[in-house]
Coordinates of all heavy atoms in Angstrom, one line a residue:
F13 N 19.8 -22.6 -14.8 CA 18.4 -22.5 -14.2 C 17.5 -23.5 -14.9 O 17.5 -23.7 -16.2 CB 17.8 -21.1 -14.5 CG 18.4 -20.0 -13.6 CD1 19.5 -19.3 -14.1 CD2 17.9 -19.7 -12.4 CE1 20.1 -18.3 -13.4 CE2 18.5 -18.7 -11.6 CZ 19.6 -18.0 -12.1
D14 N 16.7 -24.2 -14.1 CA 15.5 -24.9 -14.7 C 14.6 -23.7 -15.1 O 14.7 -22.6 -14.7 CB 14.9 -25.8 -13.7 CG 13.6 -26.5 -14.2 OD1 13.6 -26.9 -15.3 OD2 12.6 -26.6 -13.4
C15 N 13.6 -24.1 -16.0 CA 12.7 -23.0 -16.4 C 11.4 -23.0 -15.6 O 11.2 -22.0 -14.8 CB 12.3 -23.3 -17.9 SG 11.3 -22.0 -18.6
D16 N 10.5 -24.0 -15.8 CA 9.2 -24.0 -15.1 C 9.4 -24.1 -13.6 O 10.0 -25.0 -13.1 CB 8.4 -25.1 -15.6 CG 8.0 -24.9 -17.1 OD1 7.4 -23.9 -17.4 OD2 8.4 -25.8 -17.9
G17 N 8.8 -23.1 -12.9 CA 8.9 -23.1 -11.4 C 10.1 -22.5 -10.9 O 10.2 -22.3 -9.7
V18 N 11.1 -22.1 -11.7 CA 12.3 -21.5 -11.3 C 12.5 -20.1 -11.9 O 12.7 -19.1 -11.2 CB 13.6 -22.4 -11.6 CG1 14.9 -21.6 -11.3 CG2 13.5 -23.7 -10.8
L19 N 12.3 -20.0 -13.2 CA 12.3 -18.7 -13.9 C 10.9 -18.2 -14.0 O 10.6 -17.0 -13.7 CB 12.9 -18.8 -15.3 CG 14.4 -19.1 -15.3 CD1 14.8 -19.3 -16.8 CD2 15.2 -18.0 -14.7
V20 N 10.0 -19.0 -14.4 CA 8.6 -18.6 -14.6 C 7.7 -19.4 -13.6 O 7.9 -20.6 -13.4 CB 8.1 -18.7 -16.0 CG1 8.7 -17.7 -16.9 CG2 8.4 -20.1 -16.6
D21 N 6.7 -18.8 -13.1 CA 5.7 -19.4 -12.2 C 4.6 -20.1 -12.9 O 3.5 -19.8 -12.8 CB 5.2 -18.3 -11.2 CG 4.5 -18.9 -10.0 OD1 4.7 -20.1 -9.8 OD2 3.8 -18.1 -9.3
S22 N 5.0 -21.2 -13.6 CA 4.2 -21.8 -14.6 C 3.7 -23.2 -14.1 O 2.8 -23.8 -14.8 CB 4.9 -22.0 -15.9 OG 6.1 -22.6 -15.7
E23 N 4.2 -23.7 -13.1 CA 3.9 -25.1 -12.7 C 2.4 -25.2 -12.3 O 1.7 -26.2 -12.6 CB 4.8 -25.6 -11.5 CG 6.2 -25.8 -11.9 CD 6.5 -27.0 -12.8 OE1 5.5 -27.5 -13.4 OE2 7.6 -27.4 -12.8
T24 N 1.9 -24.2 -11.6 CA 0.5 -24.3 -11.2 C -0.5 -24.3 -12.4 O -1.4 -25.1 -12.5 CB 0.1 -23.2 -10.2 OG1 0.9 -23.2 -9.1 CG2 -1.4 -23.2 -9.8
S26 N 0.3 -25.1 -15.6 CA 0.5 -26.3 -16.3 C -0.2 -27.5 -15.7 O -0.8 -28.4 -16.4 CB 2.0 -26.6 -16.5 OG 2.6 -25.6 -17.3
L85 N -1.0 -21.2 -21.0 CA 0.2 -20.4 -20.7 C 0.2 -19.1 -21.5 O 0.7 -18.1 -21.0 CB 1.5 -21.2 -21.0 CG 1.8 -22.4 -20.1 CD1 2.9 -23.3 -20.6 CD2 2.1 -22.0 -18.7
V89 N 1.5 -15.9 -17.7 CA 2.2 -16.5 -16.6 C 3.3 -15.6 -16.1 O 4.0 -14.9 -17.0 CB 2.8 -17.9 -17.1 CG1 3.8 -17.7 -18.2 CG2 3.5 -18.6 -15.9
G90 N 3.4 -15.4 -14.8 CA 4.4 -14.5 -14.3 C 5.8 -15.1 -14.0 O 6.0 -16.3 -14.1
L91 N 6.7 -14.2 -13.8 CA 8.0 -14.6 -13.3 C 8.0 -15.0 -11.9 O 7.2 -14.6 -11.1 CB 9.0 -13.5 -13.5 CG 9.3 -13.0 -15.0 CD1 10.2 -11.8 -14.9 CD2 10.1 -14.1 -15.7
V92 N 8.9 -15.9 -11.5 CA 9.1 -16.2 -10.1 C 9.6 -15.0 -9.4 O 10.5 -14.3 -9.9 CB 10.1 -17.4 -10.0 CG1 10.6 -17.5 -8.5 CG2 9.5 -18.7 -10.5
P93 N 9.0 -14.6 -8.3 CA 9.4 -13.4 -7.5 C 10.9 -13.4 -7.2 O 11.5 -14.4 -6.8 CB 8.6 -13.5 -6.2 CG 7.4 -14.3 -6.6 CD 7.8 -15.3 -7.6
I95 N 13.4 -13.2 -9.4 CA 14.3 -13.8 -10.4 C 15.0 -12.7 -11.2 O 16.2 -12.9 -11.5 CB 13.6 -14.8 -11.3 CG1 14.6 -15.7 -12.0 CG2 12.7 -14.1 -12.3 CD1 15.4 -16.6 -11.1
V111 N 19.6 -21.8 -19.4 CA 18.4 -22.5 -19.0 C 18.6 -24.0 -19.5 O 19.0 -24.2 -20.6 CB 17.2 -21.9 -19.6 CG1 15.9 -22.7 -19.2 CG2 17.1 -20.5 -19.3
S113 N 16.1 -27.3 -19.6 CA 14.7 -27.7 -19.2 C 14.3 -29.0 -19.9 O 14.7 -29.2 -21.1 CB 13.7 -26.6 -19.6 OG 12.4 -27.0 -19.4
K119 N 7.5 -24.3 -25.7 CA 6.9 -23.9 -24.4 C 7.7 -22.8 -23.7 O 7.2 -21.8 -23.2 CB 6.9 -25.1 -23.4 CG 6.3 -24.8 -22.1 CD 6.3 -26.1 -21.2 CE 5.6 -25.9 -19.9 NZ 5.6 -27.1 -19.0
M120 N 9.1 -22.8 -23.8 CA 9.9 -21.8 -23.2 C 9.7 -20.4 -24.0 O 9.7 -19.4 -23.4 CB 11.4 -22.2 -23.2 CG 11.6 -23.2 -22.2 SD 13.4 -23.6 -22.0 CE 13.7 -24.7 -23.3
I122 N 6.9 -19.4 -25.2 CA 5.7 -18.9 -24.7 C 5.8 -18.3 -23.3 O 5.4 -17.1 -23.1 CB 4.6 -20.0 -24.6 CG1 4.2 -20.5 -26.0 CG2 3.3 -19.5 -23.9 CD1 3.4 -21.8 -26.0
T123 N 6.5 -19.0 -22.4 CA 6.6 -18.5 -21.1 C 7.6 -17.4 -20.9 O 7.3 -16.4 -20.3 CB 6.9 -19.7 -20.1 OG1 8.1 -20.3 -20.5 CG2 5.7 -20.7 -20.1
L124 N 8.8 -17.7 -21.4 CA 9.9 -16.7 -21.3 C 9.7 -15.5 -22.2 O 10.1 -14.4 -21.8 CB 11.2 -17.3 -21.6 CG 11.7 -18.5 -20.7 CD1 13.0 -19.0 -21.1 CD2 11.7 -18.1 -19.2
G125 N 9.0 -15.7 -23.3 CA 8.7 -14.6 -24.2 C 7.8 -13.5 -23.7 O 7.9 -12.4 -24.1
Q126 N 6.9 -13.9 -22.7 CA 6.0 -12.9 -22.1 C 6.8 -12.0 -21.2 O 6.2 -10.9 -20.9 CB 5.0 -13.7 -21.3 CG 4.0 -14.5 -22.1 CD 3.1 -15.3 -21.2 OE1 2.7 -14.8 -20.2 NE2 2.7 -16.5 -21.6
N127 N 8.0 -12.4 -20.8 CA 8.6 -11.7 -19.7 C 10.0 -11.1 -20.1 O 10.8 -10.7 -19.2 CB 8.8 -12.6 -18.5 CG 7.4 -13.1 -18.0 OD1 6.7 -12.3 -17.4 ND2 7.1 -14.3 -18.2
G128 N 10.3 -11.2 -21.4 CA 11.6 -10.6 -21.8 C 12.8 -11.5 -21.6 O 13.9 -11.1 -21.9
L129 N 12.6 -12.7 -21.1 CA 13.7 -13.6 -20.9 C 14.1 -14.5 -22.1 O 15.2 -15.1 -22.2 CB 13.5 -14.5 -19.7 CG 13.4 -13.8 -18.3 CD1 13.3 -14.7 -17.2 CD2 14.7 -12.9 -18.1
W130 N 13.1 -14.7 -23.0 CA 13.5 -15.4 -24.2 C 14.7 -14.8 -25.0 O 15.6 -15.5 -25.4 CB 12.2 -15.5 -25.1 CG 12.5 -16.2 -26.5 CD1 12.7 -15.6 -27.7 CD2 12.6 -17.6 -26.7 NE1 12.9 -16.5 -28.7 CE2 12.8 -17.7 -28.1 CE3 12.4 -18.7 -25.9 CZ2 12.9 -19.0 -28.7 CZ3 12.6 -20.0 -26.5 CH2 12.8 -20.1 -27.9
D173 N 13.7 -27.0 -9.0 CA 12.6 -27.1 -8.1 C 12.0 -28.5 -8.1 O 11.0 -28.7 -7.4 CB 11.5 -26.1 -8.5 CG 10.8 -26.4 -9.8 OD1 11.4 -27.0 -10.7 OD2 9.5 -26.1 -9.9
F191 N 14.9 -25.1 -5.0 CA 13.9 -24.0 -4.7 C 12.6 -24.7 -4.3 O 12.0 -25.4 -5.1 CB 13.7 -23.2 -6.0 CG 12.8 -22.0 -5.9 CD1 12.9 -21.2 -4.8 CD2 11.8 -21.8 -6.9 CE1 12.0 -20.1 -4.7 CE2 11.0 -20.7 -6.7 CZ 11.0 -19.9 -5.7
H194 N 6.9 -24.2 -2.2 CA 5.6 -24.8 -1.9 C 5.7 -26.1 -1.1 O 4.9 -26.9 -1.2 CB 4.9 -25.1 -3.3 CG 4.7 -23.9 -4.2 ND1 4.0 -22.8 -3.8 CD2 5.2 -23.7 -5.4 CE1 4.1 -21.9 -4.8 NE2 4.8 -22.4 -5.8
M211 N 14.3 -16.5 -3.9 CA 15.4 -16.2 -4.8 C 16.4 -15.1 -4.2 O 17.6 -15.1 -4.5 CB 14.9 -15.6 -6.1 CG 14.3 -16.7 -7.0 SD 15.5 -18.0 -7.4 CE 14.3 -19.3 -8.1

Side-chain angles (χ1 to χ4, degrees):
F13 290 91
D14 180 41
C15 184
D16 294 299
V18 172
L19 293 174
V20 288
D21 195 11
S22 53
E23 291 288 18
T24 299
S26 297
L85 291 172
V89 60
L91 291 171
V92 167
I95 196 65
V111 184
S113 173
K119 184 179 182 183
M120 287 188 277
I122 294 167
T123 58
L124 299 179
Q126 297 177 32
N127 299 291
L129 292 184
W130 174 259
D173 71 328
F191 182 47
H194 305 300
M211 290 298 167

